[in-house]
Amino acid sequence: MRDSRETFVNHAFVTGYPIKHSRSPLIHGYWLKRLGLEGSYQAHAVSPEEFPDFITSLREGESGFVGGNVTIPHKEWAFALSDRPDALSTELGASNTLWIEDGLVHATNTDGHGFSANLDERAPGWDHCQTAVILGAGGASRAVIQAVRDRGVKTIHVVNRTTARAQELADRFGPAVHAQPMEALGEVMTGSGLFVNTTSLGMDGSEVPQIDFTVLASGSIVTDIVYVPLKTPILAQAEVQGFATVDGLGMLLHQAVPGFEKWFGKKPTVDAALRQIIIDDMASHA
């Protein structure tokens, strides 16, 4: 029985391999300070070979952590090794947020929440459209497809160079999702209200094909889950063609909110000061 006079300080983590690039400690450290909470959030490198033991130590209370975030390459392992994955994690087959409750490892995936909350903040009403186009069928696209579908968008076209990979996602996420080859991009974009890039196109100076965004519906939103650079080549193209754009940084910030609330007991706010801290950090590592 805990003595109510004692002060218990919670400690959380982000783990991946490698993990030194993570900006999550900056985000959670800002919130801990802003809310005046005692506690810590630290990057903790764990190799794939060590990850099962790490989860065991978390479950048994030996790690000293109340929970944490999981990133590449451990998200699928985190789902598989958790005791109580929720419905979001189960459909995705991956978890990014863990916490201990009643001696069990609980798991969820907040990437979709981050995606939706970012658009809610920066492009309210984005989900009023009937049709969305999602470019890319890699792991990063899964939470986006799930989030767009769960907000009621009736038709979601997943466009990918390998149509079979897009078809796997259509099979996973149900009848609203349709697999399309790259050759169909212009056709399925016509009249669509939302365009999402989930590929790495434009990262590290890679070539980006010209995309005709003018076929989208009037008032459409174009967003990119990549946030380095903040204005990706795809967003720059859409902006020049007269469309509102939303960068991917907010997805990173908003996906962190549910975990922080679980571990530290208070819901934090994504504000302009936090966004600027991350932008400044990105600039210092450019």
Side-chain angles (χ1 to χ4, degrees):
M1 180 73 73
R2 286 185 172 182
D3 188 324
S4 61
R5 294 170 296 180
E6 294 182 59
T7 299
F8 289 89
V9 178
N10 289 347
H11 303 282
F13 63 85
V14 58
T15 186
Y17 198 74
I19 197 58
K20 63 182 179 181
H21 65 284
S22 175
R23 293 185 168 91
S24 292
L26 272 179
I27 297 169
H28 292 276
Y30 171 82
W31 285 333
L32 285 167
K33 185 176 180 180
R34 183 74 180 236
L35 293 168
L37 299 176
E38 291 191 60
S40 72
Y41 181 99
Q42 63 192 61
H44 194 71
V46 178
S47 71
E49 295 77 21
E50 299 169 319
F51 191 70
D53 288 340
F54 177 75
I55 294 297
T56 298
S57 71
L58 176 66
R59 180 185 295 108
E60 295 179 355
E62 297 169 356
S63 70
F65 295 118
V66 295
N69 287 126
V70 178
T71 188
I72 296 169
H74 300 323
K75 289 185 179 184
E76 290 81 6
W77 257 120
F79 163 71
L81 295 172
S82 63
D83 303 306
R84 293 288 186 273
D86 69 359
L88 289 172
S89 288
T90 300
E91 186 176 41
L92 292 169
S95 302
N96 75 341
T97 302
L98 306 177
W99 69 96
I100 298 299
E101 193 175 312
D102 300 325
L104 300 175
V105 178
H106 291 248
T108 189
N109 194 302
T110 65
D111 287 332
H113 166 82
F115 176 81
S116 297
N118 182 34
L119 288 180
D120 287 342
E121 177 191 355
R122 307 190 81 82
W126 66 272
D127 53 352
H128 295 168
C129 67
Q130 297 294 305
T131 306
V133 174
I134 297 175
L135 186 60
S141 69
R142 292 187 178 193
V144 173
I145 294 167
Q146 186 184 60
V148 173
R149 181 204 64 191
D150 288 354
R151 288 296 285 265
V153 176
K154 291 183 171 55
T155 303
I156 302 167
H157 296 292
V158 179
V159 181
N160 197 58
R161 293 190 186 281
T162 307
T163 313
R165 291 193 69 180
Q167 187 59 52
E168 289 174 14
L169 298 183
D171 294 341
R172 177 183 289 265
F173 293 104
V177 184
H178 307 273
Q180 305 288 355
M182 285 297 293
E183 300 77 48
L185 182 61
E187 179 185 346
V188 298
M189 283 177 64
T190 301
S192 293
L194 176 69
F195 181 96
V196 187
N197 177 47
T198 71
T199 75
S200 58
L201 279 174
M203 287 181 69
D204 305 318
S206 60
E207 285 291 315
V208 177
Q210 285 296 311
I211 299 173
D212 180 11
F213 289 102
T214 63
V215 299
L216 293 173
S218 175
S220 292
I221 304 299
V222 177
T223 187
D224 199 323
I225 68 169
V226 171
Y227 60 90
V228 181
L230 202 57
K231 185 185 287 187
T232 64
I234 284 178
L235 295 184
Q237 284 187 37
E239 198 172 86
V240 166
Q241 295 177 52
F243 288 88
T245 63
V246 177
D247 63 60
L249 179 54
M251 180 175 173
L252 171 73
L253 303 178
H254 284 284
Q255 64 81 29
V257 170
F260 186 95
E261 187 175 13
K262 281 284 185 189
W263 311 315
F264 302 112
K266 288 192 177 180
K267 185 176 182 178
T269 301
V270 174
D271 57 22
L274 174 59
R275 181 177 166 86
Q276 193 58 51
I277 285 170
I278 304 302
I279 290 172
D280 291 345
D281 182 70
M282 286 158 51
S284 71
H285 290 90

